[in-house]
Amino acid sequence: MKTDEYSITIEQLADLPESTYVLYDIRDEISFSYGTIPGAENPSDIIGQAENGILPNDKKIILFCMHGTQSVLLCERLRRLGFDAFSLSGGYSEWLRKQLVKTDRSAEIEESLRSRRKFKEKLFNPFVKAVVKYELVEQGDRIAVCISGGKDSMLMAKLFQELKRHRKFDFELVFLVMDPGYNELNRLIIENNAEMLGIPIQIFETSIFDAVYKIEKSPCYLCARMRRGYLYNKARELGCNKIALGHHFDDVIETTLMGMMWGGQMQGMMPKLHSTNFPGMELIRPMYLVHEDDIKEWRDYHGLHFIQCACHFTDTCSSCRDDGAPISKRMETKMLIRRLKETNPNVDINIFNSTSNVCLDTLISYKKNGVEHNFLDTYKDDFEK
């Protein structure tokens, strides 16, 4: 295949009338959900659609993946089937690079978080509810707001700024970004978004991604542990007594379900925790009651683009990888919950509520402070009573 002949640049795409082409994002469903080029569709089996006559044959078919690797191969196959197919040169990553324009949009975005007609009810109010309900922020706190560069932590930073604007009591914020080994584009996206959103970030660097890349068993778990350790250490160095992470409502229910399906245990994700390795430090999750779909709506309303996980395993979509690695268990669980919601719209809320409606009398055993309690321990006594 003549790659150059059947490639199209971002500039050439912009010059095409929209009625003359269809844009397909061929990355996996989860990558697509983190962000895509406006107007793009995400077919599950584009070759199957082509063979079954579902794809339009009177328009240009323009494909893209993360870096333009898999889209070139699929373009060739579509060409053989008679379609006028093209691969977007550089893929989604090149399109993202073109969006890096230095501008200050903080006032516009802050206003939308204050407006009831926009995002106050969906984002700011549940954020405040979690802060109050779980006593996450207290007088005199100095909180390290940990920003990974994704939509969740960036929004958390803006919500914290809005919370501080109300000044119910005094607390301090430090907006902390740890670079665990991001590639150049992801680092630029984080810096550009922080400037655009008016978030005064402090960046410190580590080499965590390199350290876990060759780990075969549970690299994501090890990476998360190492990242949290570095964040605690840096936050304490900066005089903070708490670190805030951007885990949201969907993360909570996914973790609960993952523990049951993959870990054989019933275990939740707490809204706050005391650190065992860093005395005096706490971890808080103020996005605990914020739904991911509402975060996506905020992102798309403002036309914002954020990085995904961005480690060496996922800084490209699964469609661009050649190592045959499967999607993560979290992504698999996320897609399972999405399918379950099609027949039971309240399944996510029910999973969340189940962690508060625990009936110990119906459990065979449970652990408290590391000590296991079995129903047989009191079975006879309970019957006699």
Side-chain angles (χ1 to χ4, degrees), residues 140-209:
D141 278 345
R142 181 172 170 83
I143 304 169
V145 182
C146 300
I147 300 173
S148 66
K151 66 186 188 312
D152 310 324
S153 58
M154 283 289 190
L155 173 59
M156 176 177 66
K158 292 307 299 178
L159 292 171
F160 258 121
Q161 287 180 324
E162 187 65 14
L163 181 67
K164 188 168 177 60
R165 189 179 71 87
H166 288 266
R167 288 193 174 276
K168 297 294 184 181
F169 50 80
D170 288 330
F171 64 93
E172 298 180 56
L173 299 172
V174 175
F175 299 100
L176 193 59
V177 176
M178 179 185 65
D179 183 343
Y182 292 133
N183 62 39
E184 177 192 5
L185 176 59
N186 284 321
R187 174 71 176 255
L188 286 173
I189 291 173
I190 293 173
E191 293 173 341
N192 187 81
N193 282 336
E195 183 174 346
M196 178 173 58
L197 296 173
I199 304 171
I201 58 174
Q202 296 186 41
I203 302 178
F204 72 102
E205 299 177 354
T206 70
S207 57
I208 293 176
F209 285 170

Side-chain angles (χ1 to χ4, degrees), residues 129-145:
K129 182 178 179 180
V131 167
V132 174
K133 182 176 183 179
Y134 303 118
E135 301 177 355
L136 303 182
V137 180
E138 300 171 294
Q139 175 83 24
D141 278 345
R142 181 172 170 83
I143 304 169
V145 182

Side-chain angles (χ1 to χ4, degrees), residues 81-135:
L81 292 171
F83 290 90
D84 191 18
F86 295 84
S87 172
L88 188 62
S89 180
Y92 181 57
S93 63
E94 182 61 23
W95 183 85
L96 278 177
R97 191 181 294 274
K98 300 288 185 180
Q99 309 308 305
L100 297 178
V101 179
K102 293 186 179 298
T103 181
D104 184 354
R105 298 178 57 192
S106 58
E108 160 205 344
I109 289 166
E110 289 162 6
E111 179 59 32
S112 74
L113 295 175
R114 299 166 190 159
S115 172
R116 290 183 180 273
R117 289 179 296 178
K118 294 178 182 174
F119 299 108
K120 182 177 181 180
E121 295 293 334
K122 293 181 178 180
L123 299 178
F124 184 66
N125 285 358
F127 178 85
V128 173
K129 182 178 179 180
V131 167
V132 174
K133 182 176 183 179
Y134 303 118
E135 301 177 355

Side-chain angles (χ1 to χ4, degrees), residues 281-383:
M281 297 287 292
E282 281 186 86
L283 180 154
I284 61 173
R285 296 184 171 106
M287 303 281 282
Y288 204 77
L289 303 178
V290 178
H291 290 249
E292 186 175 27
D293 283 345
D294 294 330
I295 300 174
K296 290 178 180 178
E297 183 183 348
W298 168 80
R299 175 200 65 193
D300 297 340
Y301 177 84
H302 291 292
L304 301 172
H305 301 279
F306 302 101
I307 69 171
Q308 194 174 337
C309 168
C311 74
H312 295 332
F313 294 99
T314 58
D315 66 351
T316 180
C317 60
S318 61
S319 62
C320 286
R321 299 178 61 184
D322 57 8
D323 58 6
I327 62 173
S328 72
K329 294 304 180 186
R330 180 168 293 278
M331 290 184 179
E332 193 171 341
T333 305
K334 184 186 291 288
M335 290 188 288
L336 172 61
I337 294 173
R338 189 175 302 167
R339 289 195 297 270
L340 291 173
K341 287 191 69 174
E342 293 176 2
T343 55
N344 180 3
N346 293 323
V347 69
D348 55 343
I349 297 173
N350 290 339
I351 295 172
F352 182 87
N353 289 341
S354 70
T355 62
S356 299
N357 297 324
V358 180
C359 300
L360 294 182
D361 292 339
T362 65
L363 297 182
I364 294 175
S365 65
Y366 66 93
K367 290 181 179 179
K368 176 68 175 178
N369 297 326
V371 179
E372 183 172 335
H373 301 269
N374 193 286
F375 86 105
L376 290 175
D377 296 340
T378 60
Y379 181 74
K380 292 182 179 181
D381 292 338
D382 290 341
F383 176 74

Side-chain angles (χ1 to χ4, degrees), residues 29 32-34 131 142 174 207 211 216 220 222 260 292 381:
E29 181 183 353
F32 177 79
S33 72
Y34 273 90
V131 167
R142 181 172 170 83
V174 175
S207 57
E216 295 184 3
C220 294
L222 178 60
M260 297 174 64
E292 186 175 27
D381 292 338

